[in-house]
Amino acid sequence: MAPRRSSAAAVAVEDRLYAALAVLRVIVTLNLLLLTWWRRDNFDRPTAAAVLVLLLVLWTGFALWAYSSSARRTPPLLLVDLAVAIAALLATPWLKGDDFRATLPGFWIMGVLLAWAVHWRWQGGLVAGTALSVIDLVIRSDVSQATYGNTFLLMIGGPIVGYMCQSLQEMAAERDFAQRAAASAGERARLARAVHDGVLQVLALVQRRGTELGGEFADLGRLAGEQESSLRSLIRQQDTLVSESASTDLAVALEALGGPLVTVVTPGTAVPLPAYVVSEVVAATRACLDNVTVHVGPQAPAWVMLDAADDQVVVSVRDEGQGIAADRLATAETEGRLGVVASIRGRLEDLGGTAELSTGSWGTEWELAVPRPGGPT
C-alpha cells in the first residue's frame, strides 16, 4: 500500500474525512439497532445476537474516539476494525441459520470499508472491499441478485472513495506548497531590497572614491563595482517569482557546482522538479559548500550526491573536515549569526523538506531532503 502523505495539509484533509466518517458510523450503527429489533424473529439465537450487536455498538464508540486523532490512526487499529467486521459477518449463519438473507452487521461494515479507503487510499479500499465481499459470499448458501449488487458496490465503492481521498490530499498539499513558496519568495524579495539597497549605496561610494584615489584603491573600486552589478542582478531576480509550473533538471543544476575540489554524483537520468524548488535546493547546496571553504579550508575537497526516489529527492553534501562542535550552531543562532538556519534549514523548511546534519571527527554531512510534487502518497 502507498505510504501516507505527512504534510499538514494532507493530515487536515484526512481529519475532516474521518470527522464525516464518524457521522456515517453513528448513522449505520443506529440502522443496525433498528433492523436488529425489527427482524428479531429471524434469529435462531436472539440472545447471542443481542450480545454481538451490543459489542458492535461498543466498538463503534471506541472507533469514534480512536479515529478522531491522527496519532491513533495506526495500522493495528484498522486491522482490528476490519477483523471485527469480518467476525460479525462470520457469526451471521450461526445466529440466523444457513438460509439467512441479510447479514447481521448489514450496512455497518461501510464504516470499516471507508476507514481503510481514507487511510490507505484506493489500495486500502480495494483490499477491504475484497475481504468483506469474499466473506459475505462464502457464508451464504446461495448468491442472489441483491447479494451480487452489494458485492459490486463494495468492490467499486472502496477504491473510488480512496482515490477521491488521495486526490483531495494531493490538491491540498500542492495548494499549501504553492502558497508557502509564494509567500517565502515574496518575503525574501522584500528583505533583499531592504538589505541590499544599503549595501549598494556603500559599494557605489567605494567605487567612486577608489577611482578618484587611483592606485590600489582603483582596484578596490573596480571590485566594488563588480559586486554592485552582481547585487543589482540578484535583486532583479528576486523581484521575479519563478513559475511553479516551470520544470528544471536538478541533476544538471547540481552538476554545474562541480569543479576540481567538488565532486558531484547524480543519477543517470534527469530529475525534473519545479524551477523554484531546484533554485532553492541548489542555493542550499551552495551554502553547504561555502561552509566547507570557510570552515575546512579553501583547498578542502567536498562531495555532492543526488539520490532521487519517487516521493522525494535527497542531496548529500559531505566533507572530510574536523566536524562541527555540538553547540556551535546553537551558539551561532543565539548570537544572531543565522547562516545555517536561514541559508540551509530555512530554505528546506520553506519547501516542506528537511536538512539533517551529521558530524564527527570524520567530517560533516548535510542531507537535504525535498518531497517531489505529484509523487506517491
Side-chain angles (χ1 to χ4, degrees):
M1 294 182 185
R4 299 173 60 194
R5 185 182 293 273
S6 58
S7 72
V11 173
V13 170
E14 188 175 281
D15 287 341
R16 297 194 66 176
L17 292 173
Y18 274 114
L21 180 56
V23 177
L24 176 63
R25 279 184 180 269
V26 172
I27 293 174
V28 295
T29 301
L30 292 175
N31 180 73
L32 168 65
L33 291 171
L34 177 62
L35 289 181
T36 302
W37 173 257
W38 184 23
R39 299 171 179 171
R40 60 188 182 278
D41 295 335
N42 295 343
F43 291 96
D44 295 346
R45 296 176 173 84
T47 302
V51 172
L52 180 56
V53 169
L54 176 60
L55 292 176
L56 292 180
V57 172
L58 293 176
W59 174 257
T60 299
F62 172 78
L64 294 178
W65 169 81
Y67 283 104
S68 64
S69 172
S70 59
R72 294 190 291 266
R73 294 195 289 262
T74 59
L77 173 64
L78 281 101
L79 290 172
V80 174
D81 201 8
L82 181 60
V84 170
I86 291 176
L89 289 173
L90 291 174
T92 299
W94 180 67
L95 297 172
K96 285 190 168 185
D98 293 335
D99 58 344
F100 71 92
R101 289 184 297 175
T103 63
L104 181 140
F107 294 120
W108 185 87
I109 64 175
M110 290 174 56
V112 180
L113 174 69
L114 298 183
W116 275 61
V118 172
H119 189 84
W120 278 313
R121 319 300 179 258
W122 70 266
Q123 299 97 322
L126 180 61
V127 170
T130 300
L132 294 171
S133 297
V134 169
I135 297 300
D136 191 25
L137 293 175
V138 167
I139 62 177
R140 295 179 183 273
S141 57
D142 65 304
V143 178
S144 65
Q145 184 175 355
T147 303
Y148 167 79
N150 291 336
T151 301
F152 180 75
L153 291 176
L154 286 174
M155 292 298 297
I156 67 170
I160 289 176
V161 171
Y163 176 77
M164 292 176 61
C165 295
Q166 177 179 343
S167 299
L168 286 173
Q169 288 192 317
E170 288 180 350
M171 288 189 293
E174 290 170 0
R175 182 199 61 188
D176 187 60
F177 177 85
Q179 290 177 343
R180 186 171 59 249
S184 61
E187 180 64 12
R188 278 193 297 275
R190 185 187 68 80
L191 291 175
R193 290 192 297 269
V195 173
H196 292 158
D197 281 350
V199 177
L200 287 173
Q201 293 177 8
V202 174
L203 290 176
L205 177 61
V206 172
Q207 180 186 18
R208 184 171 64 253
R209 292 294 294 163
T211 303
E212 293 173 354
L213 294 173
E216 295 181 354
F217 294 102
D219 293 333
L220 180 61
R222 178 180 55 80
L223 293 174
E226 293 175 356
Q227 292 301 314
E228 180 190 6
S229 177
S230 298
L231 282 176
R232 291 191 184 279
S233 176
L234 175 62
I235 292 173
R236 286 194 296 271
Q237 294 173 18
Q238 291 280 10
D239 285 337
T240 304
L241 300 182
V242 180
S243 171
E244 288 288 328
S245 60
S247 180
T248 304
D249 187 355
L250 177 60
V252 173
L254 289 176
E255 288 170 356
L257 300 178
L261 298 175
V262 179
T263 301
V264 180
V265 180
T266 60
T269 57
V271 184
L273 288 173
Y276 172 79
V277 176
V278 172
S279 175
E280 293 296 274
V281 172
V282 171
T285 304
R286 186 179 291 110
C288 294
L289 295 175
D290 290 342
N291 284 338
V292 175
T293 301
V294 173
H295 298 292
V296 183
Q299 298 301 316
W303 292 263
V304 177
M305 287 159 283
L306 172 61
D307 181 22
D310 291 337
D311 59 339
Q312 68 173 1
V313 295
V314 179
V315 178
S316 301
V317 184
R318 181 172 59 86
D319 64 59
E320 294 181 341
Q322 298 301 314
I324 300 176
D327 59 344
R328 194 168 93 187
L329 294 183
T331 301
E333 184 174 357
T334 302
E335 295 174 352
R337 293 181 284 116
L338 305 178
V340 170
V341 174
S343 298
I344 302 177
R345 286 181 174 154
R347 292 180 186 274
L348 271 296
E349 289 174 359
D350 287 344
L351 298 175
T354 58
E356 300 294 336
L357 173 65
S358 300
T359 185
S361 58
W362 46 267
T364 300
E365 181 176 8
W366 281 97
E367 280 199 357
L368 314 178
V370 180
R372 301 186 75 169
T377 57

